[in-house]
Amino acid sequence: MSTSKQESAGNNISNSDTSIRPFRIVILQSVLDDLQARLTHTRWPDELPEAGGDYGVPLGYLKELAEYWRTSYDWRKHEARLNEFPQFTTTIDGANVHFLHIRSPERDAFPLILTHGWPGSFVEFLDVIGPLTNPRAYGGNPTDAFHVVIPSIPGFGFSGPTPKKGWNVNRVALAWAELMRRLGYDRYGAQGGDWGTAISRTLGAVDPEHVCGVHLNYLPFVPTGDLNNLSKEDEARIEQMKRYLAAPPGHMIVQSTRPQTISYALTDSPVGQLAWIAEKFIEWVDPACPVAVDRLLTNVMIYWLTGTAGSSARLFYENNKIKGQPIPCPVPVGVAVFPHDLALPVRRFAERQYDIVHWTEFELGGHFAAMETPDLLTGDIQTYFRRFR
């Protein structure tokens, strides 16, 4: 549904083509008209009295959000905003990879690849691009500048559906290593949360000669070994993680086992896609740091317009087939802990698996830190990577 002259001409690009092609988001008006019609004719379910959010997204909340989407949200405004950033596509391992590449005006800027998660997209990082690439313009120190690369995970957004089986975290990490090589970055850092955490730490494992450090704002763990002499806060975190592991969220179970089945509902119904994503922004966001409605809807639009609900879900399925311990990450790791995240890490256990050289505990923020508390995340990234410049 997105197109550009160069991309349209490149639909039959061979797997051996390593070219980097400029990309621009152009959504046909007929696609937006179809969305309007579907929202207008939504078939709504019933809801139990006083159900609240116990059974899922409340009906009243979703109706209000869908009505705003139908009558007030302006895609063309946000499309223009997204197109302010230089975007490209390239073919890696047979898959299309869409990415933003924003070079800093500072000569000695440090390369950094940022990876989103689910149900996120490159839209997560819009508020950190400026401060990271041009800190001087935001009252910061120009020596903290980065050249920023923000890819869309294969199967997500404008990268489009993955063409074959096997696109798990390891394969994505290898693709990122190739992407940074093509861009000419011999030494770089990696940052991410959610799936971006798994991909970034795996990138450090598969490309340690070039990845100098990894910064994470989400770090799940399995509590094992010695559990004695813990603080009450650490004990609480372990109990929280045990509850999370014992009863995984519904989206994780469905997408890890039946990604194709759920894709029919999400690809056919915009309100279904909205509910599937909005639920996570209700549950995983710090109430003190709400994500703007337009930003949430722009993120939803990336999934809807590209028809990638099912292909993004396949990442859960493919990774669920990988059993055993993750590939050890040999490079230094920095961790930013936001209090309203899904589950909070315990430093003692993190240090058993990783070379933790930086650890920050914040008082605000949740799972979507780049959207909720961009200033805090930006500052922590800058602080962590100073040691590698």
Side-chain angles (χ1 to χ4, degrees), residues 310-338:
S311 55
S312 62
R314 288 200 292 266
L315 182 59
F316 290 80
Y317 182 89
E318 298 291 355
N319 226 55
N320 192 45
K321 295 191 295 185
I322 302 176
K323 304 300 180 183
Q325 293 295 318
I327 302 173
C329 180
V331 304
V333 173
V335 180
V337 182
F338 293 89

Side-chain angles (χ1 to χ4, degrees), residues 149-265:
V149 179
I150 309 175
S152 298
I153 299 171
F156 287 69
F158 294 107
S159 285
T162 42
K164 294 182 179 180
K165 297 178 180 180
W167 274 95
N168 53 37
V169 161
N170 295 353
R171 194 166 179 178
V172 175
L174 289 168
W176 278 194
E178 172 62 15
L179 175 62
M180 296 303 276
R181 187 195 67 78
R182 288 186 191 180
L183 294 175
Y185 293 132
D186 185 62
R187 183 171 177 268
Y188 61 95
Q191 199 285 329
D194 196 86
W195 279 120
T197 285
I199 292 167
S200 296
R201 69 191 186 202
T202 305
L203 178 56
V206 301
D207 196 23
E209 297 85 2
H210 303 102
V211 177
C212 66
V214 172
H215 182 278
L216 309 172
N217 59 278
Y218 174 61
L219 187 59
F221 68 99
V222 178
T224 58
D226 180 16
L227 301 181
N228 296 319
N229 301 317
L230 294 170
S231 67
K232 290 190 178 298
E233 181 178 354
D234 285 347
E235 289 177 351
R237 291 184 178 189
I238 289 173
E239 289 305 312
Q240 179 189 22
M241 179 59 74
K242 286 181 177 178
R243 290 194 297 271
Y244 180 79
L245 294 173
H251 79 275
M252 186 176 295
I253 297 172
V254 172
Q255 296 187 155
S256 295
T257 58
R258 294 293 185 270
Q260 187 66 29
T261 302
I262 190 62
S263 73
Y264 298 113

Side-chain angles (χ1 to χ4, degrees), residues 71-84:
T71 61
S72 301
Y73 175 81
D74 182 357
W75 165 254
R76 293 302 185 198
K77 170 185 172 182
H78 296 285
E79 181 183 70
R81 168 63 173 152
L82 297 178
N83 281 327
E84 291 176 3

